[in-house]
Amino acid sequence: MKNPLIITIGREYGSGGRQIGQALAARLGISYYDKEIISLAAKKSGLSDEFIANNEQRVRSGLIHSFAASATYQGGFFSGQYLPLAENIFISQAQVIRDIASKESAVIVGRCADYVLRDDPDALSVFVKADMPSKVDRAVKYYGIDADKAEDRIRKADKQRASYYNYYATATWGDVDNYDLVVDTGVLGVEGAVELIAKCIELRAAK
């Protein structure tokens, strides 16, 4: 039986990572997961979708990180009753990501999926970036953000994503050494990025 194909996408705010993920999933005829992971994690943890959505990006400091990471990445289920809320949410989402990767081919956006699946030889990790003017244009056009506030919003969002990733992963968010492929939509655009990722998948399959 052929193993599931998993593409994980990390992305800078305004780079078009979500659009790329949706278009790539449609092109390949596979599932797409982004905010859907919130609902699945809610069922696993017993928390509400809204509660997880509002709290999933919280990052706490302290030694509890190593404990949470151990419980998550060794593949077992840890009840989390002694862990801070953010760690419980992360563990639930990591377990959902692993469940998806074991059962079906999919594109998974965000939530440290590349790190959660770092030992999966069939997972292709992609990071999507762009220059600031391109990200500002996208934030204004697609997210309705005021042009005067867009750059500040982008910097804050990327800082939050970096803090979240760097806290839970023993790696650095956006570091090219952490990904199989880094795509610049400021150069390629969304359609070009989809073409490049699809070609990369094709070449890997032909090895």
Side-chain angles (χ1 to χ4, degrees), residues 26-104:
R27 174 171 176 155
L28 298 174
I30 61 178
S31 299
Y32 170 83
Y33 289 95
D34 182 2
K35 294 182 179 179
E36 294 82 0
I37 292 175
I38 293 175
S39 295
L40 294 172
K43 293 177 182 178
K44 184 174 289 291
S45 66
L47 300 171
S48 70
D49 293 25
E50 183 179 6
F51 191 80
I52 289 182
N54 289 336
N55 289 278
E56 67 172 344
Q57 293 293 333
R58 293 176 61 195
V59 176
R60 296 178 184 268
S61 61
L63 296 176
I64 196 65
H65 169 230
S66 59
F67 189 22
S70 175
T72 301
Y73 297 126
Q74 288 177 2
F77 178 75
F78 179 73
S79 67
Q81 60 181 331
Y82 300 115
L83 291 179
L85 176 63
E87 276 73 14
N88 275 322
I89 292 173
F90 176 76
I91 288 172
S92 295
Q93 291 187 340
Q95 290 172 334
V96 166
I97 289 168
R98 275 211 190 84
D99 288 345
I100 292 169
S102 70
K103 298 174 182 177
E104 62 176 318

